[in-house]
Amino acid sequence: MRTLQLTNKDLNLSNHSFVMLDDRATLKQRIQNRFVLFLGEFSLSPNSGIDWFSLKESKNLDEIQKALIRDLLSDSEIIRVNSFEVIWIDSVEKAKEYKSEIRNVIINYSVDTVYGVVSGGVV
């Protein structure tokens, strides 16, 4: 499936036309979007997104990771999760170490898909 490319939450233009993504890049963009979308945030699909508020309250990294992997595997084009890492930036030290703001989450992933291996990271 092809879709429009988003850059910093805006549609990307080139030569006065929208930039389109191929199937593999569409899947990667969809993965990244699903991690930054809060559950219920998108009115056209209220069941889409991650329940970040509940996950944050649990503070159990294993539970958070399992919930995110479960959400990933709900995508019909993802076959298997090869690697998955969740880094919760919950201290000033971690913020400095990862050059991130406090109360952020860094997610690194690698998945087997119908298009081959797709990997990336989301902050």
Side-chain angles (χ1 to χ4, degrees):
M1 173 180 16
R2 293 173 45 95
T3 193
L4 298 169
Q5 183 182 39
L6 296 175
T7 304
N8 297 325
K9 300 179 185 179
D10 287 325
L11 292 172
N12 196 4
L13 292 171
S14 178
N15 296 325
H16 308 291
S17 296
F18 291 114
V19 176
M20 297 295 293
L21 297 175
D22 63 14
D23 293 335
R24 182 186 176 110
T26 294
L27 176 60
K28 186 170 184 172
Q29 180 172 283
R30 191 167 64 238
I31 290 170
Q32 292 178 286
N33 287 344
R34 77 184 319 133
F35 286 142
V36 298
L37 186 67
F38 281 72
L39 182 65
E41 182 178 14
F42 184 48
S43 60
L44 297 178
S45 183
N47 293 325
S48 296
I50 305 294
D51 189 6
W52 284 111
F53 294 113
S54 295
L55 290 176
K56 183 185 177 300
E57 292 301 316
S58 79
K59 294 190 180 186
N60 180 332
L61 216 48
D62 286 338
E63 187 178 315
I64 293 168
Q65 188 164 319
K66 286 177 186 174
L68 296 176
I69 289 172
R70 207 173 24 253
D71 188 69
L72 257 183
L73 291 173
S74 69
D75 191 306
S76 63
E77 295 180 330
I78 295 176
I79 299 166
R80 176 180 42 251
V81 176
N82 297 324
S83 65
F84 198 84
E85 177 185 33
V86 177
I87 303 164
W88 199 271
I89 309 298
D90 57 355
S91 68
V92 174
E93 294 79 24
K94 275 189 181 177
K96 287 179 184 176
E97 178 183 350
Y98 291 100
K99 297 179 178 90
S100 180
E101 295 180 27
I102 198 164
R103 292 189 297 269
N104 264 351
V105 175
I106 298 171
I107 302 169
N108 297 310
Y109 63 89
S110 173
V111 293
D112 283 338
T113 73
V114 295
Y115 309 111
V117 175
V118 172
S119 58
V122 180
V123 177

